[in-house]
Amino acid sequence: DQQVKQNSPSLSVQEGRISILNCDYTNSMFDYFLWYKKYPAEGPTFLISISSIKDKNEDGRFTVFLNKSAKHLSLHIVPSQPGDSAVYFCAASPYSGNTPLVFGKGTRLSVIA
Amino acid sequence: NAGVMQNPRHLVRRRGQEARLRCSPMKGHSHVYWYRQLPEEGLKFMVYLQKENIIDESGMPKERFSAEFPKEGPSILRIQQVVRGDSAAYFCASSPPTVAGGLAATYNEQFFGPGTRLTVL
C-alpha cells in the first residue's frame, strides 16, 4: 500500500515557466513533509520541507504548499531553470525528531531551454 | 565538513555471495538510516540505527539482511547469499541527535550519501 503517491512520473516545462510537482498521501498521521531532488548516480538532496501546522513554506524559487484536508502537497519552482532537471521525491514522516521517511516514487522534471 | 560517505559506490556479486555495504555518517551525526531503491521505484526504508543499537528494522527483509552501527567505525549493511532481486541502489542517510527541551520538537533533516549500486549476476 503506497502511503505517498506521486502520480506524474514525468513533467516537461519550458525554461522560465513554473514547474508544479504534486504529491498525495493517505496516512493522516504524517506530520512533516519534505521534497528531495536527485540527480543520476547521486544521493537525494534535501530541497524544502513543511510542517503540518503550516500551509506554505517558501525558499527562494521553491515553494511548498500543503492542503491537509485534501492530503495533498505541491512543489512550485519559479522560474524553472535547466539545472532543475532531476527526479523530485516527495517524502513524509509521522512525527518530529529522528524517524524514517516514507517516499513517493518520484517525478522526473525536464526543463527545456 | 565531509558529507555522508558510502563505499563501495558500485558492487558486483554473483548469486550466493555476500555483499557488505559501508556508510560513514556526517561528523556529529549519531543516527543512520538505510534505504533501498529498486529500478523505477522510490526509496524504501530498511533500518534505522543509533550507535550500537537498532532502533527500527521494520523495513528489513527477515532473512539474509542484517545491519550494525558499532561504537567505532562505519555502519554496515550485510546481505548474505545475494539473489538477483537484491540488485538495487542502497542509500544511507544520517541525521544529528535530537535536541532535548525547547517548545517544540523539530524535524532532523536526513542527509544522504551517494549510494552503493549493487548488481547481482
Side-chain angles (χ1 to χ4, degrees):
Chain A
D1 177 34
Q2 225 182 326
Q3 298 186 66
V4 177
K5 299 177 184 178
Q6 293 178 257
N7 292 319
S8 298
S10 62
L11 175 68
S12 288
V13 172
Q14 278 204 310
E15 181 180 6
R17 306 293 289 267
I18 185 171
S19 296
I20 300 176
L21 295 92
N22 294 303
C23 178
D24 297 293
Y25 61 96
T26 57
N27 189 340
S28 57
M29 296 299 292
F30 286 146
D31 191 48
Y32 206 87
F33 304 89
L34 307 91
W35 285 93
Y36 280 83
K37 175 180 178 180
K38 186 181 180 305
Y39 293 116
E42 294 184 11
T45 302
F46 170 75
L47 199 56
I48 192 169
S49 62
I50 188 166
S51 166
S52 62
I53 62 173
K54 294 186 176 182
D55 56 17
K56 176 183 175 181
N57 188 27
E58 193 172 350
D59 184 1
R61 296 185 298 115
F62 304 91
T63 303
V64 56
F65 295 92
L66 175 63
N67 183 332
K68 281 193 69 178
S69 61
K71 294 191 177 70
H72 177 83
L73 62 154
S74 61
L75 174 68
H76 293 213
I77 307 173
V78 56
S80 302
Q81 299 174 353
D84 296 330
S85 297
V87 177
Y88 289 78
F89 290 100
C90 173
S93 169
Y95 29 77
S96 302
N98 286 295
T99 180
L101 295 171
V102 180
F103 282 85
K105 289 189 176 184
T107 297
R108 183 179 303 277
L109 173 66
S110 299
V111 179
I112 305 161
Chain B
N1 188 9
V4 177
M5 300 178 70
Q6 289 188 251
N7 67 81
R9 293 293 306 274
H10 300 273
L11 183 60
V12 179
R13 285 288 178 265
R14 296 191 180 278
R15 280 179 298 169
Q17 291 184 318
E18 179 180 281
R20 289 166 65 97
L21 289 64
R22 285 176 288 277
C23 169
S24 296
M26 287 180 69
K27 187 176 181 180
H29 286 193
S30 56
H31 300 256
V32 165
Y33 308 80
W34 285 93
Y35 294 85
R36 175 166 67 174
Q37 185 184 22
L38 295 170
E40 306 304 319
E41 295 285 324
L43 282 74
K44 292 273 172 49
F45 165 71
M46 298 182 75
V47 62
Y48 164 32
L49 310 102
Q50 291 182 35
K51 283 286 187 182
E52 300 184 279
N53 287 305
I54 295 175
I55 307 302
D56 181 351
E57 56 181 348
S58 58
M60 285 273 271
K62 294 288 186 282
E63 297 176 351
R64 302 188 296 109
F65 285 72
S66 63
E68 61 178 8
F69 188 16
K71 188 176 180 181
E72 302 291 337
S75 175
I76 306 285
L77 179 67
R78 183 183 290 110
I79 312 172
Q80 296 177 303
Q81 300 175 333
V82 295
V83 301
R84 288 217 173 104
D86 296 333
S87 296
Y90 291 81
F91 292 97
C92 166
S94 73
S95 63
T98 302
V99 177
L103 293 176
T106 58
Y107 188 84
N108 285 328
E109 177 195 330
Q110 295 180 23
F111 295 83
F112 281 81
T116 294
R117 274 142 192 88
L118 173 64
T119 302
V120 180
L121 302 178

